[in-house]
Amino acid sequence: MELQFGLDTFGDVTVDDAGRPVSHAQVIRDVVAQGVLADELGVDYFAVGEHHRPDFAISAPTTVLAGLATATQRVRLGSAVVVLSSDDPIRVFEQFATIDALSGGRAEPVLGRGSFIESFGLYGFDLADYEKLFEEKLEVFARLREEAPVTWSGSYRTPMESVDVFPKTDGGRMRSWVAVGGSPQSVVRAAHHRFGLQLAIIGGPAQRFKPFADLYRRAVSEFGVTDEMPVAVHSPGHIAETDELAAEQLYPHFKANRDRIGAERGWGAMASDEFTNEIEHGALYVGSPETVATKIASTVRELGVDQFDLKYANGSMPHSQLMSSIELYATKVIPLVREMLA
């Protein structure tokens, strides 16, 4: 595969250029504008995530993607991620098949368990069933991808007897992904069901995920899968004209977001040296176009991935800074990475 480049956002609630909070509705409109810009500048892939909490605006990613499907021309459209454990796999398939129709075949669902658990209580699921729910629903979705009647039974829904789902896609089968944060079992499961693998690297050096990429390729081979099976990396970052400006713009928003989540999970507050270390040695792709391109090229080489996705929205950064980062990513970083790898 030719190396692909993507952008991911969870729809973080932002501030305007004067530091005033922006409404959820405006954030969603801004995300659409960001996706349109990515499309116009030739970015290959644009994905929106799902959260159910006040600091994120997107709780219905498929609705946002449907809007993007009619507002863009060529960019592939994904989710980052659909929390399949607390959703219905038939409904998710129907929604993405509809996005695929609206976009002319550009829908690429990314399925995962998510890093937050709010959706379980919200939709009436027992968190004790966290793992088993995902396993069963992923198997159902994998069968639905074949676009033929499905017969299946499990523990968490009524049995399916020759259930057919509509609409059908023009291509006959949507490219779909499973997002993995570091579980070998999840890696093997993705290969077994013929899903692409997205490695969510949000802390520490990318090199530590090489065993997972290698395991996935080995499992694909041992399962006898002959389809094209891509591996992608998803990591946070921000691009500005200089290294100093990029770090200066990102730090207060990244720290506030990290500390808020950390307080919920029992972590200590993030210090500035931890932030700097993640830029220099970890999962933050922050700096000038040259600095970020060099780090991406190194990750691509070390893991042998087919796609790199930059999580460009991190905390309450203003829309104007996000648009600038997207422009630099598309017009400078991507060409530089291709040149370095060539």
Coordinates of all heavy atoms in Angstrom, one line a residue, residues 7-9 11-12 14 26-41 43 46 48 68 72 312-313 317-324 326:
L7 N -6.3 12.4 9.8 CA -6.5 13.3 10.9 C -7.6 12.8 11.8 O -8.6 12.3 11.2 CB -6.8 14.7 10.4 CG -5.7 15.5 9.7 CD1 -6.2 16.6 8.9 CD2 -4.7 16.0 10.8
D8 N -7.5 12.9 13.1 CA -8.5 12.4 14.0 C -8.9 13.5 15.0 O -8.0 14.3 15.4 CB -8.0 11.2 14.9 CG -7.7 10.0 14.0 OD1 -8.2 9.9 12.9 OD2 -7.0 9.1 14.5
T9 N -10.2 13.6 15.3 CA -10.6 14.5 16.4 C -11.7 13.8 17.2 O -12.5 13.1 16.6 CB -11.1 15.8 15.8 OG1 -11.6 16.6 16.9 CG2 -12.2 15.6 14.8
G11 N -13.7 15.9 18.8 CA -14.6 17.1 19.0 C -14.5 17.7 20.3 O -15.5 18.1 21.0
D12 N -13.2 17.9 20.8 CA -13.0 18.5 22.1 C -13.6 19.9 22.1 O -13.6 20.7 21.1 CB -11.5 18.7 22.3 CG -10.7 17.5 22.2 OD1 -10.8 16.8 21.1 OD2 -9.9 17.2 23.1
T14 N -13.8 23.7 22.6 CA -12.7 24.6 22.4 C -13.1 26.0 23.0 O -14.2 26.2 23.5 CB -12.4 24.8 20.9 OG1 -13.6 25.2 20.2 CG2 -12.0 23.5 20.3
Q26 N -21.3 24.9 18.0 CA -20.3 25.5 17.2 C -19.1 24.6 17.0 O -18.5 24.6 15.9 CB -19.9 26.9 17.8 CG -18.9 27.7 17.0 CD -19.5 28.0 15.6 OE1 -20.6 28.6 15.5 NE2 -18.8 27.7 14.5
V27 N -18.8 23.9 18.0 CA -17.7 22.9 17.9 C -18.0 21.9 16.8 O -17.1 21.6 15.9 CB -17.4 22.2 19.2 CG1 -16.4 21.0 19.0 CG2 -16.8 23.1 20.2
I28 N -19.2 21.4 16.7 CA -19.5 20.5 15.7 C -19.4 21.1 14.3 O -18.9 20.5 13.3 CB -20.9 19.9 15.9 CG1 -20.9 19.0 17.2 CG2 -21.5 19.1 14.7 CD1 -22.3 18.5 17.7
R29 N -19.9 22.3 14.2 CA -19.8 23.0 12.9 C -18.3 23.3 12.5 O -17.9 23.1 11.4 CB -20.6 24.4 12.9 CG -22.1 24.2 13.0 CD -22.8 25.5 12.8 NE -22.7 26.4 14.0 CZ -23.5 26.4 15.0 NH1 -24.6 25.6 15.0 NH2 -23.4 27.3 16.0
D30 N -17.5 23.5 13.5 CA -16.1 23.7 13.3 C -15.4 22.4 12.8 O -14.5 22.4 12.0 CB -15.4 24.3 14.5 CG -15.7 25.7 14.8 OD1 -16.2 26.4 13.9 OD2 -15.5 26.2 16.0
V31 N -15.8 21.3 13.4 CA -15.3 20.0 13.0 C -15.6 19.7 11.6 O -14.7 19.3 10.8 CB -15.8 18.9 13.9 CG1 -15.5 17.5 13.3 CG2 -15.2 19.0 15.3
V32 N -16.8 20.1 11.1 CA -17.1 19.9 9.7 C -16.2 20.8 8.8 O -15.7 20.3 7.8 CB -18.6 20.2 9.5 CG1 -18.9 20.2 8.0 CG2 -19.5 19.2 10.2
A33 N -16.0 22.0 9.3 CA -15.1 22.9 8.5 C -13.7 22.3 8.5 O -13.0 22.4 7.5 CB -15.1 24.3 9.1
Q34 N -13.2 21.7 9.6 CA -11.9 21.1 9.6 C -11.8 20.0 8.6 O -10.8 19.8 7.9 CB -11.6 20.7 11.0 CG -11.4 21.9 12.0 CD -11.7 21.6 13.4 OE1 -11.7 20.4 13.8 NE2 -11.9 22.6 14.3
G35 N -12.8 19.2 8.6 CA -12.9 18.0 7.7 C -12.9 18.5 6.2 O -12.2 17.9 5.4
V36 N -13.6 19.5 5.9 CA -13.7 20.1 4.6 C -12.3 20.6 4.2 O -11.8 20.4 3.0 CB -14.7 21.2 4.5 CG1 -14.6 22.0 3.2 CG2 -16.1 20.6 4.6
L37 N -11.6 21.3 5.1 CA -10.2 21.8 4.8 C -9.3 20.6 4.5 O -8.5 20.6 3.6 CB -9.7 22.6 6.0 CG -8.3 23.1 5.8 CD1 -8.2 24.1 4.6 CD2 -7.8 23.8 7.1
A38 N -9.4 19.6 5.3 CA -8.5 18.4 5.1 C -8.8 17.8 3.7 O -7.8 17.4 3.0 CB -8.8 17.3 6.2
D39 N -10.0 17.7 3.3 CA -10.4 17.2 2.0 C -9.8 18.1 0.9 O -9.2 17.6 -0.1 CB -11.9 17.1 1.9 CG -12.4 16.6 0.6 OD1 -12.1 15.4 0.2 OD2 -13.1 17.3 -0.1
E40 N -10.0 19.4 1.0 CA -9.5 20.3 0.0 C -8.0 20.2 -0.1 O -7.4 20.4 -1.2 CB -9.9 21.7 0.3 CG -11.4 21.9 0.2 CD -11.9 23.3 0.8 OE1 -11.0 24.0 1.5 OE2 -13.0 23.7 0.5
L41 N -7.3 20.0 1.0 CA -5.8 20.0 0.9 C -5.2 18.6 0.6 O -4.0 18.4 0.6 CB -5.3 20.5 2.3 CG -5.6 21.9 2.6 CD1 -5.1 22.3 4.0 CD2 -5.0 22.9 1.6
V43 N -5.7 15.5 2.3 CA -5.4 14.5 3.3 C -6.3 13.3 3.0 O -7.4 13.4 2.5 CB -5.9 15.1 4.7 CG1 -5.7 14.0 5.8 CG2 -5.0 16.3 5.1
F46 N -10.1 11.2 7.4 CA -10.6 12.1 8.4 C -11.5 11.3 9.3 O -12.5 10.8 8.8 CB -11.2 13.3 7.9 CG -11.5 14.4 8.9 CD1 -10.5 15.3 9.2 CD2 -12.8 14.5 9.5 CE1 -10.8 16.3 10.2 CE2 -13.0 15.5 10.4 CZ -12.0 16.4 10.8
V48 N -13.8 11.0 13.2 CA -14.3 11.7 14.4 C -14.7 10.7 15.4 O -15.1 9.6 15.1 CB -15.5 12.6 14.1 CG1 -15.1 13.7 13.1 CG2 -16.7 11.8 13.5
L68 N -20.3 15.3 6.7 CA -19.0 15.4 6.0 C -19.1 14.7 4.7 O -18.4 15.1 3.7 CB -17.9 14.8 6.9 CG -17.4 15.8 8.0 CD1 -16.5 15.0 9.0 CD2 -16.5 16.9 7.3
T72 N -17.7 16.9 1.4 CA -16.4 16.6 0.9 C -16.4 15.8 -0.4 O -17.5 15.2 -0.7 CB -15.6 15.8 2.0 OG1 -16.3 14.6 2.3 CG2 -15.4 16.6 3.2
Y312 N -5.3 15.7 15.9 CA -4.9 17.1 15.9 C -5.6 18.0 16.9 O -5.2 19.1 17.1 CB -5.1 17.7 14.5 CG -6.6 17.8 14.1 CD1 -7.2 19.0 14.4 CD2 -7.3 16.8 13.6 CE1 -8.6 19.1 14.1 CE2 -8.6 16.9 13.3 CZ -9.3 18.0 13.5 OH -10.6 18.2 13.2
A313 N -6.7 17.5 17.5 CA -7.4 18.3 18.5 C -7.1 17.7 19.9 O -7.4 16.6 20.1 CB -8.9 18.3 18.2
M317 N -8.0 23.9 22.5 CA -7.3 24.8 21.5 C -8.3 25.4 20.6 O -9.2 24.8 20.1 CB -6.3 24.0 20.7 CG -5.2 23.4 21.5 SD -3.9 22.6 20.4 CE -3.1 24.1 19.7
P318 N -8.1 26.7 20.3 CA -9.0 27.4 19.4 C -9.1 26.8 18.0 O -8.1 26.3 17.5 CB -8.4 28.9 19.3 CG -7.6 29.0 20.5 CD -7.0 27.6 20.8
H319 N -10.2 27.0 17.4 CA -10.4 26.5 16.0 C -9.4 27.0 15.0 O -8.9 26.3 14.1 CB -11.9 26.9 15.6 CG -12.2 26.7 14.1 ND1 -12.2 25.4 13.6 CD2 -12.6 27.5 13.2 CE1 -12.6 25.5 12.3 NE2 -12.8 26.8 12.0
S320 N -9.0 28.3 15.2 CA -8.0 28.9 14.3 C -6.7 28.2 14.3 O -6.0 28.0 13.3 CB -7.9 30.4 14.6 OG -7.4 30.6 15.9
Q321 N -6.3 27.8 15.5 CA -5.0 27.1 15.6 C -5.1 25.7 15.1 O -4.2 25.1 14.5 CB -4.6 27.0 17.1 CG -4.2 28.4 17.7 CD -3.8 28.3 19.1 OE1 -3.7 27.2 19.7 NE2 -3.5 29.4 19.7
L322 N -6.3 25.0 15.2 CA -6.5 23.7 14.7 C -6.4 23.7 13.1 O -5.9 22.9 12.5 CB -7.8 23.1 15.1 CG -7.9 22.9 16.7 CD1 -9.3 22.3 17.0 CD2 -6.8 22.0 17.2
M323 N -7.1 24.8 12.6 CA -7.1 24.9 11.1 C -5.7 25.1 10.6 O -5.3 24.6 9.5 CB -8.0 26.1 10.7 CG -9.5 25.8 11.0 SD -10.2 24.6 9.9 CE -10.7 25.7 8.5
S324 N -4.9 25.9 11.3 CA -3.5 26.2 10.9 C -2.7 24.9 11.0 O -1.9 24.6 10.1 CB -2.9 27.3 11.8 OG -1.5 27.5 11.5
I326 N -3.8 21.8 10.7 CA -4.2 21.0 9.6 C -3.6 21.4 8.3 O -3.1 20.6 7.5 CB -5.8 21.0 9.4 CG1 -6.4 20.3 10.6 CG2 -6.2 20.4 8.1 CD1 -7.9 20.5 10.7

